[in-house]
Amino acid sequence: MIRIGKTCISSTMIVLIVALVLIGTMAIASILNMEEPIESSIDNIPQEIEGVWIPTEDDIEYQDSMWQIINRTQKDVDIIKEDIEDILYKLDRIEYSDGTWDSIRMPIESDEEVMWIGGNGDTIWE
């Protein structure tokens, strides 16, 4: 607590005084800063600027068609990525004749059985 004369001022009172001074200063500054209203910058844009490209209807249609082609291509690439993941999963997963499977087990018995992948992606044992 700070003692000024016969009055004691607590830390809360000091914070309130500082806050009031700051708010008062901002209020006075905002009143003094009142000037003419700012005109919209959109109104000041000249309609004919030399060297600026303004798209025609044909240009807009062309850009839209290019966006559609790019979007379709991206979807095709995503589908291909998913198919590649499925193929890699099948290649990593080795199935054995007893019905078990894993990606690291090596047959200990004879290698008479030959594994190959059929046209529909199934593992076939001979």
Side-chain angles (χ1 to χ4, degrees):
M1 289 223 257
I2 298 175
R3 187 177 196 105
I4 300 176
K6 293 183 178 180
T7 309
C8 290
I9 300 175
S10 66
S11 59
T12 332
M13 186 64 96
I14 292 174
V15 170
L16 285 174
I17 291 171
V18 170
L20 286 174
V21 169
L22 286 175
I23 291 172
T25 305
M26 287 190 283
I28 292 172
S30 66
I31 291 172
L32 294 177
N33 197 19
M34 297 284 265
E35 295 177 4
E36 296 179 17
I38 300 172
E39 295 179 20
S40 174
S41 60
I42 295 174
D43 298 334
N44 296 334
I45 297 175
Q47 297 301 319
E48 294 294 326
I49 300 176
E50 193 172 319
V52 174
W53 176 68
I54 300 174
T56 62
E57 285 294 321
D58 293 337
D59 293 332
I60 293 172
E61 288 176 14
Y62 178 75
Q63 289 175 347
D64 288 344
S65 68
M66 291 304 293
W67 183 85
Q68 290 173 356
I69 291 170
I70 291 170
N71 195 22
R72 217 175 313 126
T73 304
Q74 183 62 44
K75 288 179 183 177
D76 291 343
V77 168
D78 290 342
I79 291 171
I80 291 171
K81 283 181 181 178
E82 290 173 5
D83 291 343
I84 288 174
E85 289 297 321
D86 292 341
I87 291 169
L88 290 175
Y89 175 74
K90 284 185 178 184
L91 289 175
D92 287 342
R93 182 178 163 178
I94 300 172
E95 294 186 7
Y96 296 97
S97 58
D98 61 355
T100 60
W101 62 271
D102 66 36
S103 60
I104 57 172
R105 184 173 129 186
M106 300 296 288
I108 298 175
E109 300 100 27
S110 69
D111 37 329
E112 293 175 354
E113 293 182 335
V114 177
M115 180 186 75
W116 56 284
I117 298 176
N120 58 358
D122 292 336
T123 305
I124 300 174
W125 293 89
E126 290 184 341

